[in-house]
Amino acid sequence: MLAMLPHPTPLATHLVGIDVSKDWLDIAFDDTKVERVDNTPAALQRLARRLVKAGLTTAGLEPTGGYERLAVAVLREAGLTVLQVDSWRCRQFAKACGQRAKSDPLDARIIRAFMLHHPCRPFPEPSQAQSELTAWVREITRAEADIRRLENRKAHPTLAAITARLDAEIAALRDTVAAAEQAIEALIAADPAMDAKAKIITSVPGIASKTARVLLAEAPELGRFSPRQAGAIGGCAPYRNDSGKARRPAHIEAGRRALKRACYLAAFAAIHWNPWAKQLYADLKARGKPAKVALIAIARKLLTILNAMIRDNKPWRDP
């Protein structure tokens, strides 16, 4: 596979690709040499010292649901630049190079090869308050999903003793949600910049504090995006799929999942409570747009407007 790639850049001698899993990491030092180390603090600290001693300056990893956080922190503390590799693009890159097989060592080599020929951004370095906010918001999302799952189980007749246990689990999860909401309120109130953003976001009719905290947690860069970037990050940007004379419907894809969901729900609320969104929705429907297409258009527009509002530090003003 690697023989099919273009000539590597000078960065090749200073770069490693790392495939992260729950228990270990596979590190590709070059096209052939791949080593495995445990995903533990001690093993990662030894690895970081080796990389620095060998003159390696850059490591690339894919986001893996949180398993990469320890490696990112340890490598960054050792002075290495840690780049974030897009998982989907990296996989398509492997297929374009003719690499159909998939394993952890192969993935590490693919990650390294991908970085040699495609620019990657460093992993974000959130503040302590931002990290805590994101953790609490995601905990609420998980707890609410568990509550829905348990309530669905309760909907089917079962033993009284089992129902009582389900009720106890649901009550505990609701206590978790309540505690998380209190912690989030305290975090936002204690951070002037975050508090100012929250007030700007909730000044939009139809957007309440629940949506605001998701936007703050999942899009801390809001206010620094271009209009195109805002739509793409929110997963609301339509992508054309034309070929020759064929004109196919555009489709949305990718984006940050939690942010996409929050924007869609905000658009759904806005068409009922926000006169501007209600009129825009009616106009789109009158032009023959399906309901979901119209909602996605409003979600994209809302996110673009919020980005501009935070950038200019101005509350909502009805267009």
Side-chain angles (χ1 to χ4, degrees), residues 40-211:
T40 62
L44 289 171
Q45 286 166 3
R46 288 194 296 270
L47 171 66
R49 288 194 292 268
R50 280 183 57 199
L51 296 178
V52 171
K53 189 175 180 180
L56 295 160
T57 60
T58 307
L61 301 84
E62 294 175 337
T64 53
Y67 294 138
E68 80 287 351
R69 291 174 190 159
L70 178 61
V72 171
V74 171
L75 295 175
R76 184 179 282 155
E77 187 177 355
L80 278 80
T81 300
V82 187
L83 302 181
Q84 181 172 307
V85 178
D86 184 280
S87 305
W88 185 85
R89 290 181 63 207
C90 193
R91 189 61 201 149
Q92 301 310 308
F93 171 80
K95 291 179 179 179
C97 295
Q99 181 63 58
R100 296 284 174 174
K102 189 180 186 305
S103 68
D104 291 347
L106 278 175
D107 286 348
R109 293 170 60 196
I110 290 291
I111 289 169
R112 183 176 181 276
F114 178 84
M115 288 190 299
L116 292 175
H117 305 95
H118 298 274
C120 299
R121 293 178 303 211
F123 270 89
E125 297 186 54
S127 65
Q128 182 65 26
Q130 182 66 50
S131 298
E132 290 181 17
L133 175 68
T134 303
W136 280 119
V137 167
R138 291 177 180 175
E139 183 62 22
I140 288 176
T141 301
R142 288 189 288 266
E144 288 178 339
D146 288 340
I147 289 171
R148 289 192 296 272
R149 175 177 55 82
L150 292 170
E151 287 180 336
N152 287 337
R153 285 172 58 186
K154 272 186 61 182
H156 299 280
T158 185
L159 296 176
I162 295 176
T163 300
R165 287 179 177 273
L166 294 176
D167 285 336
E169 289 185 49
I170 290 170
L173 287 166
R174 285 182 174 149
D175 287 343
T176 297
V177 171
E181 287 175 341
Q182 291 179 357
I184 288 169
E185 287 180 10
L187 275 171
I188 293 175
D191 189 307
M194 208 178 284
D195 187 49
K197 284 185 179 181
K199 288 175 179 174
I200 290 172
I201 293 170
T202 53
S203 71
V204 180
I207 297 184
S209 58
K210 185 171 182 177
T211 301

Side-chain angles (χ1 to χ4, degrees), residues 19-26 36-40 104-105:
D19 181 73
V20 182
S21 58
K22 181 179 179 181
D23 298 317
W24 61 73
L25 284 73
D26 289 277
R36 177 168 289 181
V37 301
D38 293 335
N39 194 0
T40 62
D104 291 347

